[in-house]
Amino acid sequence: MKTYQTMSKDELTSLKTDLEAKYKEFQGMGLKLDMSRGKPSAKQLDISMGMMDVLNSEVSLQCEEGIDCRNYGILDGIKEARELLGAISEVPADNIIIYGNSSLNIMYDTISRSMTHGVMGSTPWCKLDTIKFLCPVPGYDRHFAITEHFGIEMINVPMTNEGPDMDMVEQLVSSDDTIKGIWCVPKYSNPQGITYSEETVKRFARLKPAAKDFRIYWDNAYSVHHLYEDQQDFCLEILEECEKAGNPDIVYKFTSTSKISFPGSGVAAIATSKNNLADIRKQLTLQTIGHDKVNQLRHVRFFKDLDGIHEHMKKHADIMRPKFEAVIDILEKELSGLGIASWIKPRGGYFISFESMDGCAKDIVSKAKEAGVVMTGAGATYPYGKDPKNSNIRIAPSFPTLDELKQAAELFALCVKLVSVEKLLEQ
Amino acid sequence: MKTYQTMSKDELTSLKTDLEAKYKEFQGMGLKLDMSRGKPSAKQLDISMGMMDVLNSEVSLQCEEGIDCRNYGILDGIKEARELLGAISEVPADNIIIYGNSSLNIMYDTISRSMTHGVMGSTPWCKLDTIKFLCPVPGYDRHFAITEHFGIEMINVPMTNEGPDMDMVEQLVSSDDTIKGIWCVPKYSNPQGITYSEETVKRFARLKPAAKDFRIYWDNAYSVHHLYEDQQDFCLEILEECEKAGNPDIVYKFTSTSKISFPGSGVAAIATSKNNLADIRKQLTLQTIGHDKVNQLRHVRFFKDLDGIHEHMKKHADIMRPKFEAVIDILEKELSGLGIASWIKPRGGYFISFESMDGCAKDIVSKAKEAGVVMTGAGATYPYGKDPKNSNIRIAPSFPTLDELKQAAELFALCVKLVSVEKLLEQ
């Protein structure tokens, strides 16, 4: 097979004509598909419907400690929910506080609290001229949107196969006290599906930040979200590593059941050191009288324990795996060997990260859109929406049905080819 | 009957001996009762248990607009929930956003957002040297705790039978641009059970604040929480009044079902002008992907509409009314005519506001506590916990059973007498 780069102008021109004809066909099909967000499909949600039956008017809504979950109170969350979410987060129940339905909301609140009240007694960030965050790229757009919203300057840190470039992280964090945090998705990262290596986690735990109020924002969104039972990534538990390294307070871990039970109606939590929890409680006790304990109880009664979670996640995997494989197969079949694209085959998480030729991502995404397939906006995986090479595209295979997905992936591959040819012809 | 003030020293001393003997008896009973918070009783929660049955695995979790409530999205809340909460708030569904389980959380977030991002483009409050709030007193301790947490200076405004002293409010708000808000509980106020008069609401709507980012924080916590079907307070709807007065953006209304369904697992909402909602959405869309729509659906399927809410509230009233009456009866029987106390008999809400002789509240509350009855801390109804006359005590009759409550009220009345006698003997 010839790579596009070695083709002559004539070959490219003729190829372009073929591809344009195929594209027209797709346009005629009136597709309306969405591969933009990491949104579970209806079929995945159906496997949690039993959760709607565990509580009813005949059942006691008291938790194990005898507290009436219907009433006010219990700021930290009921014990059995702290145990369950603690197990998912690999921390003791005493190191976790359960919030509402959204871990994103916890992250937002964590930054917001640091802005107005600082971190464990530090100067509130809003009183400082400059605040910076490190952002491993490509990364999660909603993380970057939060820091941008608060006027926090974002610094790109390239991802490697083992996680963020730790030489750069160490150098920056130890030398600049305006750097107050780093966004991390340590397991099956968004969008690359990379899991941080043991060495990376250990280096995080051993960081010596110039800023006392520097924290690692460890968004463990996909901790139990494997695609293959026999090929699971393992990520070292960071809270314990930080403790061992004499850095007990340096990390906030975030987790939720959004992609375990129902995305809109799960439970989310923060896991961190007792010092950090005490600091958080000072604010939380003013912010709310307590989060939804009935929903916590519903989750525990349905999932029971970590084994129950793992069993449940196998069902998700059974639905997700064929979708990931279908996209990867189509990418392999259509694009491999052409020298115009690369991608990572993940073992878990919600995304496939795709690299086009430099300068092509935006055009590919808009071409796909014109033919009815919505992708995540090009650039979204970078702070400020600015992908310096304009090459990264996040593919989210979860939401469409398998048949729709195959069509969408075929169209996507076609758009990649077409835009690449156009690009090469311009040169 | 002789008032305590007209008694001789000898009479008081002999009375004191009697009261002390009775107090000892109470101490011997080993009471353990809580009249401290506006917390519904288990019996009240039982009337909402049907809400646990309306959703189950056989039922569609799609809302009327065909959206799958289980999944991500719908920042404003599902339409039927906006209609239901809109009806409770007396505003159109388009003027409301549904949040999670806690209206306190919405208030906190509203202040927090104003601190970091200002109000509709104004300077973020954290960039200003001084921010002040007006606080009608006595008022709700959790309101004051939020403003204190953000370093906002609080100014007491006395309550009258018609609401806050509006001469003072108008004068302050129009002359001082560091005053950015006022906390209001307009109907069955916490703790006095006063409902703002029509004239008061109209004067609020016509305020001409010096600060463009001044807002009225209208915590309509008890809008449908009547005790008597035939004696209901009416409070003019403020959002429409503000519009009429050419002040459409001046008010945020807060509401929740916390004391309608389950305190820990209700739905809460903010109702305000479309300009304010647009401003709020800019932040909210970064803070969360959406609140718990399944719980919204559960509420709508259970309550159906405003008629359903009113029918349901009658059941609450049937449980609450005898408790309020028992406390009032005991206060009347034990304390009226003695010249040492006054109280307001409310027609709704969750509290009875009690005034002791000046300088006695703290001692009464601690005496009650020593005999096993926990009241709201004296001073709690004032900013910074400082009741200048040390005379206001908030009684919360909802949580104990009727029998417990009678005991608690008897003890309370006894403590009032005892502390008053001690006070008079000191003089």
Side-chain angles (χ1 to χ4, degrees), chain B residues 201-311:
Chain B
V201 176
K202 285 188 171 164
R203 288 175 75 176
F204 265 115
R206 288 192 302 251
L207 281 177
K208 297 281 167 244
K212 270 195 183 167
D213 47 356
F214 172 88
R215 293 290 181 275
I216 303 161
Y217 290 70
W218 199 256
D219 182 0
N220 212 356
Y222 309 108
S223 57
V224 293
H225 303 60
H226 313 286
L227 288 172
Y228 300 92
E229 226 185 309
D230 55 346
Q231 297 172 51
Q232 299 190 348
D233 285 5
F234 169 78
C235 185
L236 200 60
E237 198 291 296
I238 190 168
L239 192 59
E240 198 183 337
E241 287 307 311
C242 292
E243 233 169 87
K244 281 191 216 161
N247 249 342
D249 302 324
I250 205 177
V251 67
Y252 298 127
K253 294 179 76 170
F254 305 95
T255 193
S256 83
T257 68
S258 293
K259 292 184 182 84
I260 299 174
S261 60
F262 293 155
S265 306
V267 285
I270 189 168
T272 186
S273 73
K274 293 192 180 163
N275 285 335
N276 280 324
L277 289 183
D279 193 44
I280 290 167
R281 274 188 210 103
K282 277 186 211 161
Q283 174 239 342
L284 194 58
T285 190
L286 302 170
Q287 187 178 26
T288 183
I289 308 178
H291 294 103
D292 183 346
K293 296 182 295 300
V294 171
N295 203 33
Q296 293 172 23
L297 195 66
R298 184 178 289 119
H299 276 73
V300 177
R301 296 252 174 105
F302 182 62
F303 290 110
K304 295 193 172 66
D305 53 25
L306 192 58
D307 284 342
I309 295 282
H310 285 312
E311 281 309 307

Side-chain angles (χ1 to χ4, degrees), chain A residues 326-338:
Chain A
V327 173
I328 297 284
D329 283 354
I330 287 165
L331 295 180
E332 296 275 357
K333 188 172 58 97
E334 295 294 329
L335 300 175
S336 70
L338 301 182

Side-chain angles (χ1 to χ4, degrees), chain B residues 153-405:
Chain B
E153 205 178 296
M154 292 180 279
I155 300 170
N156 294 359
V157 174
M159 281 287 286
T160 74
N161 288 340
E162 308 218 339
D165 176 339
M166 288 309 293
D167 291 341
M168 185 171 169
V169 169
E170 285 167 352
Q171 193 273 317
L172 285 168
V173 165
S174 63
S175 64
D176 183 347
D177 70 358
T178 67
I179 295 176
K180 304 296 190 187
I182 181 168
W183 287 118
C184 294
V185 182
K187 196 166 177 183
Y188 302 131
S189 69
N190 178 353
Q192 293 173 305
I194 288 171
T195 296
Y196 293 11
S197 71
E198 203 174 306
E199 181 57 19
T200 297
V201 176
K202 285 188 171 164
R203 288 175 75 176
F204 265 115
R206 288 192 302 251
L207 281 177
K208 297 281 167 244
K212 270 195 183 167
D213 47 356
F214 172 88
R215 293 290 181 275
I216 303 161
Y217 290 70
W218 199 256
D219 182 0
N220 212 356
Y222 309 108
S223 57
V224 293
H225 303 60
H226 313 286
L227 288 172
Y228 300 92
E229 226 185 309
D230 55 346
Q231 297 172 51
Q232 299 190 348
D233 285 5
F234 169 78
C235 185
L236 200 60
E237 198 291 296
I238 190 168
L239 192 59
E240 198 183 337
E241 287 307 311
C242 292
E243 233 169 87
K244 281 191 216 161
N247 249 342
D249 302 324
I250 205 177
V251 67
Y252 298 127
K253 294 179 76 170
F254 305 95
T255 193
S256 83
T257 68
S258 293
K259 292 184 182 84
I260 299 174
S261 60
F262 293 155
S265 306
V267 285
I270 189 168
T272 186
S273 73
K274 293 192 180 163
N275 285 335
N276 280 324
L277 289 183
D279 193 44
I280 290 167
R281 274 188 210 103
K282 277 186 211 161
Q283 174 239 342
L284 194 58
T285 190
L286 302 170
Q287 187 178 26
T288 183
I289 308 178
H291 294 103
D292 183 346
K293 296 182 295 300
V294 171
N295 203 33
Q296 293 172 23
L297 195 66
R298 184 178 289 119
H299 276 73
V300 177
R301 296 252 174 105
F302 182 62
F303 290 110
K304 295 193 172 66
D305 53 25
L306 192 58
D307 284 342
I309 295 282
H310 285 312
E311 281 309 307
H312 189 79
M313 293 313 291
K314 284 185 202 166
K315 297 178 195 166
H316 279 293
D318 288 342
I319 299 168
M320 293 278 276
R321 198 171 44 244
K323 293 185 179 181
F324 275 74
E325 288 179 348
V327 173
I328 296 285
D329 284 353
I330 288 165
L331 295 180
E332 296 275 357
K333 186 172 58 101
E334 296 294 329
L335 300 175
S336 70
L338 301 183
I340 56 171
S342 65
W343 52 90
I344 300 174
K345 187 185 173 212
R347 292 194 286 226
Y350 263 69
F351 303 104
I352 296 165
S353 186
F354 182 92
E355 287 288 328
S356 69
M357 283 168 50
D358 287 1
C360 290
K362 268 186 206 297
D363 288 347
I364 292 168
V365 169
S366 65
K367 264 220 158 38
K369 193 174 180 185
E370 278 165 43
V373 172
V374 178
M375 318 280 303
T376 309
T381 53
Y382 282 76
Y384 312 106
K386 283 182 194 156
D387 173 359
K389 293 201 280 183
N390 184 17
S391 64
N392 185 255
I393 297 172
R394 186 181 80 165
I395 301 174
S398 56
F399 192 68
T401 65
L402 189 54
D403 285 344
E404 290 170 340
L405 188 69

